[in-house]
Amino acid sequence: MATLADRLDHVLGVKAAEQLQEHFDMHSVEDLLRHYPSRYATQGQALTEEAPEEGQHITVIGRVTKTDLRPMKNRRGSLLKVNLDTGDARPVEITFFNGDKVRYLVKEGARAMMSGTVHWWRPDRWNLSHPDYLILPDKEEGTIENLTSVRGGGALRGLAQSAKGAGGVDVSFFEREFIPVYPSTAKVQSWDLLRCIRQVLDQLDPIDDPLPEQLRTEHDLLPVSDALRLIHLPDSKADIEAARGRLRFDEAMALQLVLAERRHQTEGRKAAACPPRPGGIAAAFEKRLPFELTEGQLAVIDEISADLSRTHPMHRLLQGEVGSGKTIVALHAMLQVIDHGQQCALLAPTEVLAAQHYRSLRKMLGDLGEAGELGAAEQATKVVLVTGSMSVGQKRAALLDAVTGEAGLVIGTHALIQDNVEFFDLGMVVVDEQHRFGVEQRDALRAKAKEGFSPHLLVMTATPIPRTIAMTTLGDLETSVLTQLPRGRSPITSKVVPAKVKPAWVDRAWERIHEEVSQGRQAYVVCSRIGDEEENGKGKGRKAKADVDKEGPTTHSAMDMFESLSAGALKDLRVGLLHGRLPADEKDRVMRAFNDAEIDVLVCTTVVEVGVDVPNATVMAIVDADRFGVSQLHQLRGRVGRGKHAGLCLLITETNPVGTAMARLEAVAATNDGFELAVLDLRQRREGDVLGSAQSGTARSLRLLSLLDDLEVITAAQQLAREVVESDPGLTNHPGLAGMMRAAVDGERLEYLAKS
């Protein structure tokens, strides 16, 4: 028999356990059972993904409707071309390279499950090449002889064998009305997972349910043992929904328990109260503004001001459209804290952005930011910059101003987090583009406050990433939203340039840049990588063109694009190059030259993603746009249209025009609403690892719960979790719920949450 905590090698054997650990990071029986089916194929109708991505590993189920054996053109042997009817309008096309052998198993009329890598060979057609496959029995033919499993490449026989003796297969798996289809890899197929899960379920001991029976009855929830069996081996749609309902509630409850515990623990933290001070620097700054703040900015300033007036540390997220005026709001808040003799730190993700903040805030403050200089205002404070590439003398002077309290506002990059950086009295931390920093990094900066106190914290983002939306939806952060754009901002038009099917459109993109420059304006050309990754071994860029067939489509580097455009399409323009590995003084020189209109076109990487403000730049061409996330695309295009002229963003891509990547680009081009795009990002990537630092969507603590669609479940779990934690901090009287919380987040993630 087995328990949820048992190691997989004790239950399945060493070979199977090693494969599951390597490819899915599974270690225990519970890890395996929590790997839920992504969908179910029925005897009457099989399902497949619509328009899968190039290189995606998928599993399809259907009936073979056509086979065609033909000789290979350039070598000995035969190809077997197969059409698999999956219930969609068009059959899936399959190619086997060992056609002479496969034709005896993959016959017309056979029902099969096939798992392989997607290859698009025409803009509207995709194919599975040499997949692994499983010939399934029809329901009336459920005999062991009719079930055949074959590896396309002969890989990983160990897992299939070790899960059921010497290669044997339990035919009852595939006699069921609903066949589970699991997220899989090229090495571990869906049917391998099913075999392992069935073997574990056959040995599983009864499970102690963490939810009290009264609670299950109140919310109409299955016992957890029933839910874990039915999610994998359902007999009806009702079974699937009931199992998902229970497991979805468990996820919501576990998350809310963690957040309720966290709220309870942070209630004891103290912060210095900083109410508005009449006649202070904040009031003087507001009076001097040469423009009127929007209603939204004024409302958010009031919200933050109220937070800063309390003796509990503020923990607020400021969401605002690109160019909505978040920096002005943050500066006003910092000045309110400086009015009380405390210091503020502004943490920026790149040196380019940190320097940009330093220059722009000094400009906005004028003589209010010139303390210690001739002609400074009476209420003035000192603003200093700290970056890793500063000279020893510059850094020493800035650090001295920070530790003595001479500097009220310290702006910097990760350099601020280093142990040798100390503050006299740190009262507030502002994090710009919070998704670029880990919680540990923010915590290291907050720890620099005086003992017994926590600084107020304001994190800003222009496009919320999935984890931010998740935490916000779960009620963990106080949020402020800026939706209005300040007067004078011009609209941005975005267009997708499908280079693969419309190569002439790329030429037109360079012509469009010429047209803008001829009218005295400037442009960006953004690439996804620098270009020297292959030579120096740094980074994780795509391979060179010689390896395209091995690694998939190539991407265009900034260095290559700079050389190509300088000598070709834009040779008559002044083209500059900017990327993250240039020396700091060179980056600053290039950025200043672009600011001063000495460069017409700046070829760059995402170093310009946030904060860079060149009002004269009106066009941005993003090369290989499909390689960027929704948030990045929205951030990048926010660099144009910042002046009196309209902005244009050209999304150049070689992706297939019918895939999900193209659909994502079309959606980005269709709206400038960052919050709408954030929802799109969340739907496509899911919530990410809500309780951890991973944000890629590949390792998720939420497997069934949707933070967009299951608000009713989340709300119910939130109310219950808060009631339980309020009456029983630490959950000493609720061991089942405490175990549920620990199962949702391991020790490392709990520490992560405690810090954030």
Side-chain angles (χ1 to χ4, degrees), residues 86-276:
T86 62
D88 293 336
R90 176 181 293 164
V92 175
E93 298 178 359
I94 315 284
T95 301
F96 290 99
F97 299 127
N98 54 346
D100 289 323
K101 297 179 181 179
V102 177
R103 63 174 174 159
Y104 297 107
L105 295 172
V106 183
K107 304 175 183 177
E108 289 187 16
R111 188 164 173 269
M113 178 184 292
M114 298 194 181
S115 188
T117 302
V118 172
H119 296 288
W120 285 85
W121 55 279
R122 268 185 11 202
D124 61 342
R125 302 291 288 273
W126 58 273
N127 171 285
L128 290 183
S129 295
H130 208 55
D132 293 352
Y133 64 93
L134 190 70
I135 302 299
L136 303 177
D138 285 312
K139 196 167 184 179
E140 63 274 12
E141 300 174 352
T143 65
I144 193 71
E145 291 77 18
N146 289 326
L147 191 63
T148 307
S149 174
V150 179
R151 302 279 168 178
L156 197 67
R157 294 186 180 277
L159 179 57
Q161 293 171 358
S162 62
K164 193 67 178 179
V169 179
D170 187 346
V171 72
S172 64
F173 287 174
F174 305 101
E175 291 180 335
R176 308 185 67 86
E177 182 69 22
F178 294 89
I179 300 175
V181 179
Y182 294 91
S184 59
T185 70
K187 298 293 186 180
V188 182
Q189 306 296 357
S190 178
W191 52 84
D192 294 318
L193 291 160
L194 201 156
R195 289 185 180 109
C196 294
I197 288 169
R198 180 59 185 272
Q199 183 174 346
V200 164
L201 288 175
D202 287 345
Q203 302 177 62
L204 192 63
D205 287 334
I207 301 172
D208 291 332
D209 202 306
L211 295 184
E213 184 176 356
Q214 179 181 350
L215 179 61
R216 299 200 307 269
T217 302
E218 180 182 345
H219 291 273
D220 194 23
L221 300 172
L222 288 176
V224 69
S225 56
D226 293 348
L228 283 175
R229 289 182 182 277
L230 291 177
I231 195 74
H232 297 291
L233 298 173
D235 292 320
S236 65
K237 289 184 178 179
D239 286 346
I240 297 171
E241 289 308 311
R244 283 178 170 169
R246 167 57 202 266
L247 299 173
R248 190 180 294 120
F249 186 88
D250 282 3
E251 289 182 0
M253 188 65 185
L255 294 179
Q256 290 297 345
L257 284 169
V258 172
L259 295 174
E261 279 283 342
R262 173 178 163 180
R263 278 186 291 266
H264 178 77
Q265 292 169 5
T266 57
E267 284 177 357
R269 289 182 181 175
K270 293 182 179 180
C274 300

Side-chain angles (χ1 to χ4, degrees), residues 285 289 291 327-328 331 359-366:
F285 170 71
L289 284 175
F291 50 82
T327 305
I328 290 283
L331 178 56
R359 288 192 292 267
S360 63
L361 295 187
R362 283 290 304 260
K363 183 178 180 181
M364 282 190 275
L365 286 170

